[in-house]
Amino acid sequence: MKKIFVYLLATIAFAFTSCEEVIDYELRNADTKLVVEGLVTNQAGPYTVRLSNTRGYLEEGRTPGVNGAIVTISDNHGNTETLEATGDGLYQTKTLQGTPGYTYYLQVVVDGKTYTARSYMPTVSTIDSLTFEYHKKTHMEDEGYYPIIHFADPAGKGNNYRWNVYVNGVLDPDELAVLNDELYDGSYGHANMGFIIQKGDHLRVELLSIDKPAYNFWYALVNQQNSTGGPFESTPANAPTNISGGAIGYFGASAVSVMEAVVK
């Protein structure tokens, strides 16, 4: 699983062709900025916000966390929680429960500066099943089983998704994909996920709903990863962001559909 891919729904069984959306940005080094990474879901918490500082995109290693901040998450239904600092720039909720259809607001106060963000949590399509298609070794591909997810997109354009992939309990950050429904709105799809696993492997797929700003953010990150040949430990300072106040990164809200299966 070493390939990073971007598609609007590649290898889909109802005869659509893939298309790409161009989002302009440049890769460059920049002055140090605060990086915010946070996600609220409809699954049980705690939810985590991580604060760090940028480094040049060619520099390696995980950036140190930013401690001493006041981090608050609220929603449009009057719920508010101040997160607990757990070290290394991590801040966690205790009681907050994410709900599809709610809008979530983040406020971070650090070194006298205030940073804010908002994200709407769309509903997510349910993964109906997860199957595997065996391919023999050829000059074009290795031998193994290609995972295929099956789900129905609701009617009405504007649904956006990304997914997380776990193989034998380990999250693979290289398998990052973003999808939208511009081509297959309201249809039932069978999406080849584009990587190979082997007999006996356990696969967990998390399909996350995302709003349009989140789609732009993740789409740009995937393109940047493709350009450099590997994932980033911190977000380049010119990537799309929904953080106001001079910070970068992304605070998001996603409903999650999960499916697990073992290759037999």
Side-chain angles (χ1 to χ4, degrees):
M1 293 173 61
K2 294 300 181 183
K3 179 172 61 176
I4 304 168
F5 47 93
V6 184
Y7 49 20
L8 303 186
L9 201 59
T11 321
I12 198 159
F14 31 72
F16 289 127
T17 58
S18 297
C19 74
E20 293 188 355
E21 178 176 355
V22 176
I23 300 172
D24 292 328
Y25 57 89
E26 298 176 356
L27 291 176
R28 63 180 184 271
N29 287 314
D31 295 334
T32 298
K33 291 187 177 183
L34 181 71
V35 179
V36 179
E37 303 167 81
L39 179 66
V40 174
T41 75
N42 62 334
Q43 296 182 315
Y47 312 121
T48 300
V49 173
R50 186 173 193 267
L51 306 180
S52 60
N53 286 316
T54 58
R55 62 172 67 200
Y57 64 83
L58 295 179
E59 298 180 50
E60 297 180 354
R62 180 178 173 87
T63 57
V66 173
N67 299 313
I70 300 174
V71 181
T72 304
I73 296 178
S74 58
D75 63 32
N76 60 335
H77 289 259
N79 302 300
T80 301
E81 182 173 349
T82 299
L83 279 62
E84 179 182 9
T86 61
D88 192 28
L90 297 173
Y91 301 81
Q92 287 189 340
T93 62
K94 287 187 175 180
T95 62
L96 184 71
Q97 175 60 57
T99 303
Y102 283 28
T103 298
Y104 291 88
Y105 305 89
L106 174 71
Q107 178 177 282
V108 174
V109 180
V110 57
D111 295 332
K113 296 181 180 180
T114 299
Y115 308 90
T116 60
R118 61 180 289 173
S119 184
Y120 173 73
M121 185 187 293
T123 57
V124 67
S125 297
T126 300
I127 302 175
D128 293 343
S129 60
L130 178 61
T131 60
F132 304 97
E133 183 177 279
Y134 176 74
H135 287 204
K136 293 183 178 180
K137 182 176 178 59
T138 70
H139 68 284
M140 295 292 294
E141 61 185 14
D142 293 330
E143 181 180 16
Y145 294 83
Y146 284 80
I148 301 173
I149 60 172
H150 310 270
F151 69 96
D153 180 74
K157 288 187 177 181
N159 298 302
N160 304 283
Y161 309 95
R162 72 177 180 90
W163 63 47
N164 293 325
V165 172
Y166 297 79
V167 178
N168 299 323
V170 178
L171 174 66
D172 191 329
D174 288 350
E175 291 300 338
L176 172 61
V178 291
L179 323 172
N180 70 32
D181 65 350
E182 286 299 311
L183 294 178
Y184 65 95
D185 174 51
S187 299
Y188 188 87
H190 315 270
N192 189 321
M193 301 184 70
F195 60 88
I196 295 176
I197 58 178
Q198 301 302 323
K199 191 171 184 178
D201 283 344
H202 179 275
L203 182 66
R204 174 185 172 94
V205 177
E206 298 175 346
L207 183 68
L208 286 77
S209 65
I210 54 177
D211 59 14
K212 184 62 174 179
Y215 174 85
N216 291 341
F217 173 79
W218 289 106
Y219 187 96
L221 281 190
V222 172
N223 276 286
Q224 290 174 358
Q225 291 176 358
N226 285 336
S227 297
T228 61
F232 291 96
E233 290 293 337
S234 63
T235 308
N238 57 320
T241 178
N242 70 338
I243 312 296
S244 299
I248 62 170
Y250 199 83
F251 168 73
S254 296
V256 183
S257 177
V258 179
M259 181 63 66
E260 301 183 47
V262 175
V263 182
K264 297 182 179 179

